[in-house]
Amino acid sequence: MSRKPFLAGNWKMFKTSAQARQFFSELIKLSPLKDDREVALAVPFPSLEASVAAVADTPIIIAAQNVYFENEGAFTGEVSAPMAAATGARAVILGHSERRQFFGDTGAWVNKKLGAALAAGLIPILCLGESLAEREGGRAFDVLAAQLKEALNGFSAADLASLVIAYEPVWAIGSGKTATPETAQEAHVFIRRHLAEQLGDKTAEAARILYGGSVKPDNIAKLMSQPDIDGALAGGASLDAAAFARIINFDA
Ligand code: 13P
């Protein structure tokens, strides 16, 4: 089955809305988007509306980087899925390792956040990945299986028709240490097999599995040449319009 490549950037806590507008005006000038691929950028909450407006005449998808699982209430500092969707954002990153590591997001929370995102009509970009110690201890696949099982618990294949997964080994994030295309492919196959067991072959075949962790303009083509790598989630390289344009316009 052919899956449409999904190339995404995650700005993390970078760029004001003025800087976001500047980025998109550069990106749009640089890159007539190829229509055989989807492009998304996950921006900080205060830049969502400006970013949505900046890409209004393009197919670029704007994503949030997190949401809380309640729709409203006394949760100071949080943003709900309906609030993110109301800005025009169409997707949301869930379970990023930085959220798990620094903000206490547990697997159970990621599961609830996934429910909130789906109910608000947002495309979920669910992040999974093992730490260096887990990989070196031979537990990478156990960790991926546990994260998947917990995140997807209680959802049907129909619920998860829009599911996008990002495999982001923690040791490759911001380290300049990309997983080799073969290592990433092996993890993606494992994830797809697990999805098939949990949700059936059809959903597993349709789900886009992105690779994230030091994705750069000069390694994207090799990563994308692997049959189960359906896209990328770039951090640092997505902050620069020229670098991101090279990533999204990689030669297939
Ligand atoms: P880097 O591309 O900076 O390694 O970040 C990856 C990431 O965490 C994307 O979500």
mmCIF file of all heavy atoms in Angstrom, residues 10 12 96 98 168 172-175 212-216 233-237, ligand 1:
data_model
loop_
_atom_site.group_PDB
_atom_site.id
_atom_site.type_symbol
_atom_site.label_atom_id
_atom_site.label_comp_id
_atom_site.label_asym_id
_atom_site.label_seq_id
_atom_site.Cartn_x
_atom_site.Cartn_y
_atom_site.Cartn_z
ATOM 1 N N ASN A 10 8.692 20.359 14.231
ATOM 2 C CA ASN A 10 8.280 20.663 15.598
ATOM 3 C C ASN A 10 9.200 21.771 16.096
ATOM 4 O O ASN A 10 10.380 21.538 16.322
ATOM 5 C CB ASN A 10 8.416 19.396 16.463
ATOM 6 C CG ASN A 10 8.197 19.675 17.936
ATOM 7 O OD1 ASN A 10 7.690 20.742 18.307
ATOM 8 N ND2 ASN A 10 8.574 18.718 18.779
ATOM 9 N N LYS A 12 9.117 23.240 18.900
ATOM 10 C CA LYS A 12 9.332 23.236 20.358
ATOM 11 C C LYS A 12 9.114 24.664 20.870
ATOM 12 O O LYS A 12 8.253 25.366 20.336
ATOM 13 C CB LYS A 12 10.706 22.660 20.696
ATOM 14 C CG LYS A 12 10.928 21.319 19.977
ATOM 15 C CD LYS A 12 12.124 20.557 20.420
ATOM 16 C CE LYS A 12 12.194 19.247 19.631
ATOM 17 N NZ LYS A 12 13.230 18.351 20.117
ATOM 18 N N HIS A 96 5.171 13.609 23.257
ATOM 19 C CA HIS A 96 6.578 13.858 22.915
ATOM 20 C C HIS A 96 7.450 13.525 24.124
ATOM 21 O O HIS A 96 7.056 13.768 25.269
ATOM 22 C CB HIS A 96 6.766 15.319 22.501
ATOM 23 C CG HIS A 96 8.100 15.563 21.869
ATOM 24 N ND1 HIS A 96 9.249 15.709 22.619
ATOM 25 C CD2 HIS A 96 8.475 15.637 20.576
ATOM 26 C CE1 HIS A 96 10.276 15.879 21.795
ATOM 27 N NE2 HIS A 96 9.830 15.840 20.546
ATOM 28 N N GLU A 98 9.859 14.977 25.393
ATOM 29 C CA GLU A 98 10.138 16.121 26.285
ATOM 30 C C GLU A 98 8.970 16.362 27.233
ATOM 31 O O GLU A 98 9.171 16.765 28.378
ATOM 32 C CB GLU A 98 10.465 17.366 25.447
ATOM 33 C CG GLU A 98 11.854 17.245 24.826
ATOM 34 C CD GLU A 98 12.036 17.972 23.505
ATOM 35 O OE1 GLU A 98 11.219 18.842 23.156
ATOM 36 O OE2 GLU A 98 13.011 17.646 22.792
ATOM 37 N N GLU A 168 10.506 8.397 17.755
ATOM 38 C CA GLU A 168 11.587 9.335 18.073
ATOM 39 C C GLU A 168 12.444 8.748 19.187
ATOM 40 O O GLU A 168 12.146 8.950 20.372
ATOM 41 C CB GLU A 168 10.991 10.668 18.550
ATOM 42 C CG GLU A 168 10.152 11.368 17.508
ATOM 43 C CD GLU A 168 10.148 12.883 17.712
ATOM 44 O OE1 GLU A 168 10.014 13.356 18.845
ATOM 45 O OE2 GLU A 168 10.325 13.584 16.708
ATOM 46 N N ALA A 172 18.371 10.123 19.962
ATOM 47 C CA ALA A 172 18.641 10.770 18.661
ATOM 48 C C ALA A 172 18.105 12.191 18.608
ATOM 49 O O ALA A 172 18.345 12.908 17.645
ATOM 50 C CB ALA A 172 18.017 9.945 17.535
ATOM 51 N N ILE A 173 17.388 12.612 19.654
ATOM 52 C CA ILE A 173 16.760 13.935 19.625
ATOM 53 C C ILE A 173 17.766 15.006 20.032
ATOM 54 O O ILE A 173 18.335 14.954 21.119
ATOM 55 C CB ILE A 173 15.529 13.984 20.567
ATOM 56 C CG1 ILE A 173 14.437 13.043 20.039
ATOM 57 C CG2 ILE A 173 15.006 15.407 20.692
ATOM 58 C CD1 ILE A 173 13.203 12.973 20.914
ATOM 59 N N GLY A 174 17.978 15.960 19.128
ATOM 60 C CA GLY A 174 18.853 17.090 19.419
ATOM 61 C C GLY A 174 20.308 16.707 19.629
ATOM 62 O O GLY A 174 21.118 17.519 20.069
ATOM 63 N N SER A 175 20.646 15.474 19.326
ATOM 64 C CA SER A 175 21.997 14.982 19.622
ATOM 65 C C SER A 175 22.877 14.956 18.375
ATOM 66 O O SER A 175 24.080 14.744 18.476
ATOM 67 C CB SER A 175 21.904 13.554 20.172
ATOM 68 O OG SER A 175 21.361 12.698 19.177
ATOM 69 N N GLY A 212 11.694 10.634 13.826
ATOM 70 C CA GLY A 212 12.178 11.905 14.364
ATOM 71 C C GLY A 212 13.434 11.691 15.185
ATOM 72 O O GLY A 212 13.546 10.703 15.915
ATOM 73 N N GLY A 213 14.365 12.625 15.078
ATOM 74 C CA GLY A 213 15.637 12.528 15.816
ATOM 75 C C GLY A 213 16.756 12.923 14.883
ATOM 76 O O GLY A 213 17.237 12.100 14.102
ATOM 77 N N SER A 214 17.150 14.229 14.934
ATOM 78 C CA SER A 214 18.233 14.744 14.102
ATOM 79 C C SER A 214 18.003 14.533 12.599
ATOM 80 O O SER A 214 18.928 14.220 11.862
ATOM 81 C CB SER A 214 19.576 14.159 14.549
ATOM 82 O OG SER A 214 19.834 14.494 15.907
ATOM 83 N N VAL A 215 16.753 14.725 12.176
ATOM 84 C CA VAL A 215 16.460 14.717 10.729
ATOM 85 C C VAL A 215 17.003 16.015 10.132
ATOM 86 O O VAL A 215 16.788 17.093 10.689
ATOM 87 C CB VAL A 215 14.940 14.617 10.471
ATOM 88 C CG1 VAL A 215 14.612 14.859 9.008
ATOM 89 C CG2 VAL A 215 14.415 13.262 10.926
ATOM 90 N N LYS A 216 17.717 15.909 9.035
ATOM 91 C CA LYS A 216 18.353 17.071 8.392
ATOM 92 C C LYS A 216 18.139 16.969 6.883
ATOM 93 O O LYS A 216 17.834 15.890 6.369
ATOM 94 C CB LYS A 216 19.871 17.078 8.664
ATOM 95 C CG LYS A 216 20.266 16.985 10.133
ATOM 96 C CD LYS A 216 20.045 18.297 10.886
ATOM 97 C CE LYS A 216 20.340 18.109 12.372
ATOM 98 N NZ LYS A 216 19.545 18.885 13.272
ATOM 99 N N LEU A 233 9.649 13.874 11.505
ATOM 100 C CA LEU A 233 9.316 14.949 12.437
ATOM 101 C C LEU A 233 10.649 15.595 12.809
ATOM 102 O O LEU A 233 11.426 15.037 13.591
ATOM 103 C CB LEU A 233 8.590 14.381 13.664
ATOM 104 C CG LEU A 233 8.084 15.389 14.701
ATOM 105 C CD1 LEU A 233 7.211 16.464 14.073
ATOM 106 C CD2 LEU A 233 7.290 14.681 15.801
ATOM 107 N N ALA A 234 10.910 16.741 12.183
ATOM 108 C CA ALA A 234 12.204 17.410 12.378
ATOM 109 C C ALA A 234 12.070 18.477 13.456
ATOM 110 O O ALA A 234 11.104 19.242 13.455
ATOM 111 C CB ALA A 234 12.642 18.050 11.067
ATOM 112 N N GLY A 235 13.019 18.531 14.361
ATOM 113 C CA GLY A 235 13.030 19.576 15.384
ATOM 114 C C GLY A 235 13.866 20.751 14.915
ATOM 115 O O GLY A 235 13.402 21.611 14.170
ATOM 116 N N GLY A 236 15.140 20.750 15.305
ATOM 117 C CA GLY A 236 16.043 21.861 14.997
ATOM 118 C C GLY A 236 16.010 22.302 13.543
ATOM 119 O O GLY A 236 15.970 23.506 13.252
ATOM 120 N N ALA A 237 16.001 21.351 12.627
ATOM 121 C CA ALA A 237 16.070 21.699 11.200
ATOM 122 C C ALA A 237 14.779 22.338 10.691
ATOM 123 O O ALA A 237 14.760 22.886 9.590
ATOM 124 C CB ALA A 237 16.413 20.459 10.371
HETATM 125 P P1 13P B 1 15.730 17.218 16.508
HETATM 126 O O1 13P B 1 15.384 17.103 15.043
HETATM 127 O O2 13P B 1 16.180 18.594 16.896
HETATM 128 O O3 13P B 1 16.634 16.115 16.935
HETATM 129 O O4 13P B 1 14.330 17.016 17.321
HETATM 130 C C1 13P B 1 13.551 15.920 17.047
HETATM 131 C C2 13P B 1 12.247 16.079 17.747
HETATM 132 O O5 13P B 1 12.168 15.957 18.964
HETATM 133 C C3 13P B 1 11.047 16.385 16.934
HETATM 134 O O6 13P B 1 9.877 16.267 17.664
#
